[in-house]
Amino acid sequence: MAERPQTGPRRAYIALGSNIGDRISYIQKACQKMTDKGIHVLRTSALYETKPMYLENQQHFVNGVCEIETTLDPPSLLEQLKEIEADLGRVKVVDNGPRTVDLDILLYDKEVLRTDFLIIPHQRMMEREFVLRPLCDLVPHAPIPDSTPLLSFRRQLERLPAADPPLSSLTPLSHNLPALTSQSPNRRTHLMAVLNLTPDSFSDGGLHSPTDLNPLLPKLRKQLQQKHPLTILDIGGQSTRPHAPQFAPQEELGRILPAIHVLRSDPSFAKLAISIDTYRASVAAAAMEAGADIINDISAGQMDPEMLPTIAHVGCTCVLMHMRGTPDTMMKLTDYPSGVIEGVGSELLRRVQEAERAGIRRWRIILDPGIGFAKTQSQNLEILRRFDELRNFEGLQGLPWVVGVSRKGFIGKITGVEEASERKWGTAACVAAAVRGGAEIVRVHDVEEMGQVVAMADALWRV
C-alpha cells in the first residue's frame, strides 16, 4: 500500500512492555525518549503485570499503552521506536524473548497498513489481554479498524477468556516496596501514618518536634515490625484545617526536610515510603530531591498551577484528593446537584485529565475522595457506604485510592467524642468500611490499633 502524504499531526497508540531490570523505569524512560524525539505523549494507560505469552520461561512483563501525536508516517515512527529500544539496551536474541523495553505501533489513526515489516492494526493485539486492557484505559469505546463485525476494543476484551489470576494495574510506591495492585482481589491494604510537624494541626499539632525526631523513631520501628506493618509515612509541614495560618514555603520546608533526612539516613527505614502532604510545587520539588517518594496534594494541583508540571517532571507517584475551594472556603461548597458520588467522581476525573495533560503518567496517580473536605457529615457517610461505586466511576476504574477518615470531626459528632485523639473506635468503623469498599491505603494516626482493624478487614474482604 502506498504511503499517504502527511497532512498534519496524527494520533497513534504505542504498546509498551518490559521484563528485565526495573521494568517501570524502562517504560518511563521510553516515554521520555519519545518526547525528546518530538513524539508527543498525550496520555498513558495504567501498567499491568502479566505472565509471558508464547515463550513462557522468562520473567513477568509489565505492559501498557501510550497515546501519542506525531507528524511521522508509520515507517518513520517505527524507525524512531526501534532507535529508542536500542538506546535502552534491547538486544533481540529470540522472538518473544526477554527485553528491556518493547515498543510496537498498535494503531495509527484509522489507517490499515500491511507491508512486509509493518502491519497496522497490530496483527496479534486482538488476542492479547495485556494489550487490550491498557488500550481500553484510553479508548474503550473506539471501533476496531477493519473489524467485521464492527466491534469496540472493550467488546473485544470482554470476548477473551478471563486471565487467572486477573490482571491488575500497578502503581509504584517506592523502589523498596511492591507496587499497589488495585484490581487484585487479595491485595493487602497499606497503612499510611500521619506525621504532622505543625504547631496547629487539628488533632496532633505541636506533638512532634520538626527538628528532633529521635523520640519518635523507636515507635516507627515498632510499627514497621507489627503484624500488619506501617508502609507509608505522610509528613506534613503546613496545617490544612480551616483558617489555619499559611506559612511561607521555606518555613514548611524547614519542618519537613530534617525529617526526610533523618529517615533516609537510617537503614531501618529503607522500606518506608515517604509521602509529603503539601499543595506547594516548590516544597514538593525540594522534598523529592531530599528523598521523598510520593506527593500528597489536597488540592490535586488546584492551589498551585506549578504542582502538576512539577510532579510530571520529577516522575513520582502522587495522591490527587478531591476538594473544592480552599480549606477556608470548602465548607461553603457542599452542594452536589447530581449527588455526591457523581459530583466527586466527575470532578476527580477532571483532575486526572489535567494531570495527564501536564505529563503525569496514569500509573503514577492515586486518588483520595477527600472525606471531610467540602463534604457534610451525610455526604462523608454516603461516600463510605458507596465507595465501591466511586472506585468504578467511568474513567477512574483501576486507579488506586487512599481514604483518610482518622479522627475526623464527623466521627466526633456521631459518637459524641469531642477530643480528636479519643476517636479511635469511630475511626475503626470507618477504616473497616473503607477497606470493604476497596481502598488500597488508609491514612491513620493510631497505627497500632488501625493495623489490627485493617488486618481483620483484609481477612474478611480481601480473599
Side-chain angles (χ1 to χ4, degrees), residues 7 124 166 195 205 244 253 284:
T7 57
R124 287 182 168 178
L195 176 58
L253 282 170

Side-chain angles (χ1 to χ4, degrees), residues 12 40 74 92 120 193 210 236 246 267 338 354 358 369 376 378 424 453 458:
H40 185 198
K92 186 173 181 179
I120 301 175
Q246 300 301 296
S338 299
E354 290 164 1
T376 64
S378 63
K424 295 178 184 177
V453 172
D458 279 358

